[in-house]
Amino acid sequence: MGFIVQSANSCEIVSVSANSYTGALTADLVFKNLNTNTSTTHTLTYSSGVGQLNILTSSLGSDTGVFEVTLLEGGVEVARRPLLLHCDIDCCLAKLTNEIIDCACDCPKCSSALAKAQKVFLLLQSALSTVELASTSAGSVNSGYYRDILEKYNKARSICDNSCGCNC
């Protein structure tokens, strides 16, 4: 299993699974929000060398954005993974898709919404692909991956501007 970090339940929960790297009984999970540069720490307890924890995104300081998640055993970093919480982008895409569906003609407004949705979708998919690349042991410490994810997420967010479609 190694160290797996992923969002679940419509971005309300972050699910973490890890094997102990050093035989420790507990570990610290440090979630650093790369958008705000703030961190929160949570404790993971191992049972027979395996730990699982579900964390509410509301306890991370933000339920959207790019995070660098570090696993510390005995105060020493043993693993790191990226986490992209993108429900805000998903909601933007839902709103843009509804705009496109509601278009009754092939007018410039519809073309604009389609172009915007395409850009946002491609940026999000590219960011998610980079998350996957960076989630390998070799890629997890490459800061270039984290910058790339952050740049693509922020660009998608800026394109969405006021196009949020969920709970705005």
Side-chain angles (χ1 to χ4, degrees), residues 90-130:
D90 293 344
C91 287
C92 167
L93 284 169
K95 182 179 184 288
L96 289 168
T97 301
N98 288 337
E99 280 181 34
I100 294 165
I101 290 170
D102 290 342
C103 279
C105 63
D106 192 19
C107 62
K109 180 182 182 289
C110 295
S111 297
S112 171
L114 179 59
K116 194 175 191 180
Q118 288 172 326
K119 287 178 189 175
V120 170
F121 179 78
L122 290 172
L123 285 163
L124 177 59
Q125 291 307 304
S126 182
L128 290 170
S129 179
T130 306

Side-chain angles (χ1 to χ4, degrees), residues 31-160:
F31 288 80
K32 180 180 179 186
N33 184 320
L34 299 181
N35 296 87
T36 62
N37 222 17
T38 58
S39 296
T40 59
T41 302
H42 303 268
T43 302
L44 175 69
T45 302
Y46 295 115
S47 175
S48 300
V50 178
Q52 294 186 326
L53 183 64
N54 289 328
I55 302 165
L56 293 174
T57 55
S58 58
S59 71
L60 300 177
S62 176
D63 59 356
T64 60
V66 181
F67 293 81
E68 177 184 81
V69 185
T70 306
L71 181 68
L72 303 169
E73 291 182 0
V76 176
E77 179 180 324
V78 293
R80 187 185 322 167
R81 298 290 183 264
L83 172 66
L84 176 57
L85 297 175
H86 55 86
C87 281
D88 55 339
I89 304 298
D90 293 344
C91 287
C92 167
L93 284 169
K95 182 179 184 288
L96 289 168
T97 301
N98 288 337
E99 280 181 34
I100 294 165
I101 290 170
D102 290 342
C103 279
C105 63
D106 192 19
C107 62
K109 180 182 182 289
C110 295
S111 297
S112 171
L114 179 59
K116 194 175 191 180
Q118 288 172 326
K119 287 178 189 175
V120 170
F121 179 78
L122 290 172
L123 285 163
L124 177 59
Q125 291 307 304
S126 182
L128 290 170
S129 179
T130 306
V131 165
E132 187 130 347
L133 282 170
S135 291
T136 65
S137 294
S140 66
V141 294
N142 184 335
S143 63
Y145 285 136
Y146 294 86
R147 278 192 307 275
D148 187 57
I149 297 163
L150 183 61
E151 287 172 5
K152 289 173 181 167
Y153 170 78
N154 286 339
K155 182 63 177 177
R157 231 174 126 178
S158 74
I159 293 171
C160 284

